[in-house]
Amino acid sequence: MDNLYNETLFIMKKYGITANKRLGQNFLIDEFVIEEICDTAEVSSSDLIIEIGPGIGSLTAVLVEKAGKVISIEIDSKMLKILNDRFKFYNNFELINEDILKVDLNKLINANLNEKITKCKIVANLPYYITTPIIIKLLEEKLNVETITVMVQKEVAERLTAIPGSKNAGAISHLVYYYADSKLAINVYRDSFIPAPDVDSAVINIKFLKEPRIKIDDEKLFFNIIKAAFSQKRKTLVNGLVNNKIFDSKESAEKALTSIGLDTKIRGEKLTLEDFKKIYEIIKGG
Ligand code: SAM
């Protein structure tokens, strides 16, 4: 860890960089973790890697050695000179100075796949302040992507990889489970970063299924029902569904739950994806 620690401090000093907390800048200084991220993603020469938030380029440096092509998207223009200097001699590296949430990823990915670079993977040490919007974007945009391997806050990792119906599940667990298999790959302690964040982290791997796990025609309605179910933490499912106008009355919500064999006092986190499909079908059926 010492080499990367010293190199990180050296680069920050040389380019006059201080970590910008607002942009979630925590730079990785643990070579072992970086190797593990690349191993988890199974980065190979036929891969197009989209990296979100390269920062000063510590993860990027390993990715460019292993991947067919790396496209790194960084919002902070202060990082551009560092990255362009560092990867000047790599013709498989491209840098885009943009907010990831504004990038047309479908267009970018399709323009960069060819006979040699045949599949796309997303790899990143994500900025924690926008983890959820990024994950939602990556899942909902139906990208031509095989896997997502990202470092996130440990609690978020547990939530993202929770099987619906289990303890840590939230609305986003259903979204991940609908599209993919996921697993928590490595736990990472806070002292693997400069500056050390206030929380521990974990690397997760999300592997897209060929087709969503269940067949739903109106995904917008389906996920609105799930969001409603989780909208009020300590309240029952019925309250969440009625307060968010999924059902127009408590009675109709209770009647629907009873008709599919669920207790009317049940909480949202207890429901499986199949249970939500049954509620969705009742609502669709009018
Ligand atoms: N990859 C580097 C590493 O592992 O050391 C830096 C990771 S740091 C946790 C997150 C990076 O994401 C920072 O470089 C930050 O500037 C960048 N970032 C923050 N918000 C972003 C956004 N909306 N779009 C693209 N990059 C963003």
Side-chain angles (χ1 to χ4, degrees), residues 253-264:
E254 286 181 348
K255 195 172 152 217
L257 292 188
T258 308
S259 76
I260 55 171
L262 293 177
D263 189 308
T264 55

Side-chain angles (χ1 to χ4, degrees), residues 23-28 51-60 73-76 79 98-101 125-130 134:
L23 291 178
Q25 291 179 352
N26 299 98
F27 303 121
L28 263 169
E51 187 197 11
I52 301 161
I56 67 161
S58 306
L59 173 58
T60 324
I73 301 163
E74 172 59 62
I75 199 171
D76 187 357
M79 301 296 163
E98 181 59 283
D99 177 346
I100 181 64
L101 297 178
N125 171 14
L126 287 181
Y128 294 173
Y129 75 103
I130 43 165
I134 293 176

Side-chain angles (χ1 to χ4, degrees), residues 4 7 11 31 34-35 38 51 54-67 70 72 83 86-87 90 92-93:
L4 191 53
E7 191 180 12
I11 290 175
E31 282 145 7
I34 292 176
E35 280 298 332
C38 294
E51 187 197 11
I56 67 161
S58 306
L59 173 58
T60 324
V62 179
L63 291 171
V64 289
E65 295 294 345
K66 298 184 188 245
V70 178
S72 299
L83 294 161
R86 211 168 166 180
F87 305 115
Y90 286 81
N92 66 341
F93 173 70

Side-chain angles (χ1 to χ4, degrees), residues 142-171:
K142 304 195 188 304
L143 306 171
N144 188 3
V145 162
E146 209 168 73
T147 57
I148 301 172
T149 304
V150 284
M151 174 101 67
V152 297
Q153 222 173 290
K154 190 157 177 258
E155 287 68 27
V156 177
E158 284 161 358
R159 175 144 300 202
L160 288 170
T161 56
I163 304 284
S166 71
K167 192 172 113 245
N168 293 317

Side-chain angles (χ1 to χ4, degrees), residues 191-207:
D191 59 7
S192 296
F193 307 85
I194 293 181
D198 298 332
V199 289
D200 290 325
S201 300
V203 176
I204 59 164
N205 178 257
I206 296 175
K207 189 169 192 280

